[in-house]
Amino acid sequence: MSEGSRGSSLAFGQVVIGPPGSGKTTYCHAMREFLGRLGRRVAVVNLDPANEALPCPCALDIAELVTLPDVMDSLGLGPNGGLIYCMEYLEANADWLRDKLQGLRGCYVLFDCPGQVELYTHHESLKNVFAQLAKWNFRLAAVHLVDSHYCTDPGKFISVLCTSLSTMLHVELPHVNVLSKMDLIEQYGKLAFNLDYYTEVLDLSYLVDHLASDPFFRNFRRLNEKLVEVIEDYSLVSFVPLNVQDKQSMRHVMQAVDKANGYSFGDQEHRSLEALMSAAVGADFHFASTLAVQEKYVQSQDKAVEEEVMDL
């Protein structure tokens, strides 16, 4: 039997990637609960050998194969080198992963991946693991989580855009970029532009102009202009806002991912979705997620201004 035909039926899922602290594990378990309420059989697979404090049990854990502390102790490597070794070890033991995944056939699989950026921008091992999953008839979308607090700092946001673009080009999977922790964005400070400017990645020249007001960044204006030109020339990067506590927000991310990996749900799931969303936000829930988040953000800002005026 050929490698690609070992599992004849298609399996769908997501590889959840992003920098440390972006909320990958929280997203995986929130999405598992959300999809489970729609009737999908969902399994979470932990591919992060440094993730020792899992909030919920996983259907499959890479710790059964290799752990970061063991690698660091036995080989004398640091955290970054140890994670790279773990991913190379996983790639070399792809048969172990294939055999374990056989028991999850029929499930929609969420792969919780490590938080080391280099693994997604230029290192080959995890990319090769994703390619193997495709050969085993997994239809995957990469869900790239980025902490929304980067929107409050134009310099960091440009850096995030460059990292997201590099990840999209390197991983070579259908891609959905997500701004996570939107429920906390008002705590990070006032945004220079409306939220849709960041989610849709509109004319970035305004961002460069805004950066130029900072004496430090003024010296790097030409560099920032060139970085922005690269991002706009590819015209690939945009974001979906996410608040894992908001069912409407989870629904929009789910639909973006389903469109990316080709998953098509049946009538029963559609009815479950309608019932879930109606219970969550009322019967008329057809409005743009970005506008909903933006409205909440603006209201919080207005309230803060009113409190400042009252104090005066």
Side-chain angles (χ1 to χ4, degrees):
M1 182 183 294
S2 67
E3 187 179 60
S5 62
R6 289 181 184 271
S8 57
S9 60
L10 289 179
F12 292 87
Q14 309 173 22
V15 292
V16 184
I17 63 179
S22 57
K24 296 183 295 297
T25 300
T26 300
Y27 168 86
C28 284
H29 291 283
M31 184 58 73
R32 178 180 69 173
E33 181 180 349
F34 183 80
L35 295 177
R37 295 181 66 180
L38 300 183
R40 292 193 203 181
R41 290 179 56 206
V42 184
V44 176
V45 172
N46 178 44
L47 293 184
D48 184 359
N51 198 351
E52 297 179 308
L54 296 172
C56 299
C58 294
L60 174 59
D61 191 349
I62 193 176
E64 299 174 22
L65 176 69
V66 62
T67 65
L68 181 60
D70 289 345
V71 169
M72 292 171 61
D73 291 342
S74 60
L75 299 180
L77 296 173
N80 289 345
L83 266 176
I84 290 175
Y85 178 89
C86 289
M87 292 302 100
E88 291 174 345
Y89 191 79
L90 176 63
E91 179 188 5
N93 290 273
D95 288 348
W96 172 86
L97 180 61
R98 182 196 62 216
D99 293 341
K100 291 290 186 179
L101 289 174
Q102 287 295 324
L104 301 180
R105 283 293 173 180
C107 292
Y108 186 96
V109 185
L110 302 172
F111 294 91
D112 187 3
C113 298
Q116 190 172 353
V117 175
E118 303 96 291
L119 295 173
Y120 313 115
T121 56
H122 58 272
H123 195 262
E124 295 291 328
S125 289
L126 206 51
K127 171 186 175 180
N128 292 339
V129 170
F130 296 159
Q132 283 293 334
L133 289 170
K135 291 180 181 178
W136 301 334
N137 285 329
F138 278 90
R139 297 297 177 260
L140 302 172
V143 179
H144 183 220
L145 297 184
V146 173
D147 198 316
S148 60
H149 86 266
Y150 290 119
C151 296
T152 61
D153 187 318
K156 290 181 180 178
F157 187 65
I158 289 178
S159 176
V160 161
L161 291 174
C162 292
T163 302
S164 299
L165 177 60
S166 178
T167 300
M168 294 175 76
L169 296 175
H170 181 72
V171 172
E172 296 181 348
L173 283 175
H175 216 88
V176 177
N177 293 305
V178 174
L179 283 177
S180 63
K181 305 180 184 179
M182 289 303 301
D183 53 316
L184 303 177
I185 192 169
E186 65 269 14
Q187 300 179 16
Y188 300 139
K190 185 174 177 60
L191 299 179
F193 306 98
N194 287 337
L195 186 61
D196 59 351
Y197 177 87
Y198 301 93
T199 57
E200 301 302 325
V201 189
L202 303 175
D203 190 347
L204 295 178
S205 62
Y206 294 107
L207 203 62
V208 175
D209 292 339
H210 187 73
L211 270 174
S213 62
D214 187 317
F216 175 79
F217 287 106
R218 191 176 300 136
N219 299 325
F220 301 97
R221 183 184 180 97
R222 290 193 63 190
L223 173 62
N224 288 323
E225 286 176 345
K226 293 302 180 183
L227 290 174
V228 162
E229 285 179 12
V230 170
I231 296 165
E232 292 184 329
D233 285 346
Y234 278 93
S235 190
L236 289 176
V237 184
S238 62
F239 295 94
V240 180
L242 172 65
N243 172 7
V244 295
Q245 299 176 357
D246 181 7
K247 293 182 176 63
Q248 177 74 3
S249 178
M250 292 289 288
R251 169 178 173 260
H252 279 279
V253 173
M254 178 201 73
Q255 290 177 327
V257 176
D258 284 351
K259 182 178 179 181
N261 65 13
Y263 183 89
S264 178
F265 54 77
D267 290 341
Q268 181 57 48
E269 181 169 322
H270 180 71
R271 288 193 296 271
S272 299
L273 178 61
E274 293 279 352
L276 177 62
M277 297 312 303
S278 296
V281 295
D284 184 16
F285 57 83
H286 299 286
F287 55 88
S289 61
T290 301
L291 292 178
V293 176
Q294 174 69 21
E295 182 179 355
K296 294 178 183 177
Y297 172 75
V298 171
Q299 288 174 352
S300 66
Q301 293 296 317
D302 290 344
K303 183 178 180 181
V305 171
E306 289 176 2
E307 292 176 350
E308 290 179 2
V309 172
M310 293 297 293
D311 291 340
L312 293 175

